[in-house]
Amino acid sequence: MLTGKRILLIIGGGIAAYKSLDLIRRLRDEGAGVTPVLTRAAEEFVTPLSASALAAEKVYRDLFDLTDEAEMGHIELSRAADLVVVAPATADLMAKMAGGHANDLASTLLMATDKRVLIAPAMNVRMWEHAATRRNLATLQGDGVRVVGPNEGDMACGEFGPGRMAEVPEIVAGVRAALGEGPLKGKHVLVTSGPTHEPIDPVRYIANRSSGAQGAALAAALRDLGARVSFITGPASVASPAGVAVAQVETAREMEAAVQAALPADVAVFAAAVADWRVENAAGEKMKKDAGGAPDLSFAENPDILAGVAQMTAGRPELVVGFAAETTDVITHAEAKRARKGCDWIVANDVSPETGIMGGAENAVHLVTADGVEDWPRMGKDEVARRLAARIAEALGAG
Ligand code: C5P
């Protein structure tokens, strides 16, 4: 529920604006108060009267006059809310936000606010895929702006692809998440992610193909359910999500220290692809080829971070989840790993090169628990993350 929460809803000028009228209703059903703001372009799609009638509040419009200023100035308006939602966020609005423009009421409010901002982009697929929109999206995410959608599907313009505004229930879920109102509110979740780099000498290292995509998606999904997330990541190729506490590490031993420092936690998820071995005799200076022959490297086993936490005698997280990336006999190995490491669940997947999973956008996992094995269909890593986060909330009795 969103009882007592105040949402400033900026409605941009796009065909999806009609859904924003329904969004006003759903937010009010949850107990939130909604102050609508219509851009000039939005008024071509929905009327101020319908937005005002549904919100049961005054609508602020682009063309606001001095009387409006006397009632509530734009600074106050932008800060009286608990959350600012932009739906639909058009390509133009996103560009203005990313560029820091303040040349109409909506963009001025977005510049003046000190509150979290959630955007629900909606635009033609080509516009969504345009390099400028990609850049603007990355800038906004880097600024901590939350994004829900867009979805893929048939579009009003007759094309197909990503660009449809997220459905109203998804936006409501995004609002709850942005306000930290999810089922994992008050829970601390630790997530490890990415590869580790084990130095051979100051310039060379041993690594693996993990991109960190699944771990990052999981941290974001847990955050979206209201958890406080400690995200401990090796040198990943995907960005860390906004709104989580990030510890950047390089080696397995650094990762272990960061995990210990982040404990205690209610849940610990180990999605990192930790190197099993490190070079024991790593050189302090760059090794020279002309020294003759191949280097004589000797290896030492790295600490098993997951097993260490799963087998803690005091202060063990209530739920410890490991991952098992295998190329053969995925489930047999995963079941054995669950027993050997002492964790509660193993998320197992086949990372044979032909699956394209390692470093790719999709994953096909099996969830191995004390109750047996669930085979999940192949889906996007984001979707795997959302389902897993929901299962975690359920297991904690918070779902
Ligand atoms: O033994 P294996 O590397 O296959 O186990 C994979 C699981 O154990 C993953 O959850 C991984 O994050 C974790 N792990 C770890 N520390 C290690 C090796 C693996 O936390 N040194």
Side-chain angles (χ1 to χ4, degrees), residues 192 270-272 274-276 302-306 322-323 337 340-341:
T192 71
F270 294 85
V274 184
D276 290 318
N302 269 329
D304 192 318
I305 310 168
L306 162 62
F323 274 67
K337 200 166 287 185
R340 188 171 70 244
K341 301 211 183 207

Side-chain angles (χ1 to χ4, degrees), residues 220-363:
L222 290 159
R223 172 205 67 194
D224 286 352
L225 294 185
R228 175 167 72 86
V229 178
S230 294
F231 184 64
I232 298 154
T233 178
S237 49
V238 302
S240 297
V244 304
V246 181
Q248 291 268 3
V249 299
E250 194 173 321
T251 67
R253 287 195 294 179
E254 286 169 12
M255 186 173 275
E256 184 188 36
V259 165
Q260 290 302 328
L263 288 171
D266 299 285
V267 180
V269 184
F270 294 85
V274 184
D276 290 318
W277 302 281
R278 65 178 177 277
V279 180
E280 205 176 25
N281 57 344
E285 301 296 337
K286 186 181 173 199
M287 289 179 176
K288 293 287 178 212
K289 187 165 62 178
D290 45 16
D296 186 14
L297 301 181
S298 64
F299 290 87
E301 201 169 325
N302 269 329
D304 192 318
I305 310 168
L306 162 62
V309 172
Q311 293 166 27
M312 281 169 71
T313 45
R316 180 190 190 273
E318 192 179 329
L319 184 67
V320 178
V321 183
F323 274 67
E326 304 287 352
T327 53
T328 55
D329 301 318
V330 178
I331 291 168
T332 318
H333 284 307
E335 284 174 326
K337 200 166 287 185
R338 195 181 86 82
R340 188 171 70 244
K341 301 211 183 207
C343 56
D344 303 296
W345 298 353
I346 285 274
V347 181
N349 59 359
D350 185 340
V351 292
S352 308
E354 62 274 18
T355 64
I357 284 174
M358 201 118 183
E362 292 191 330
N363 209 348

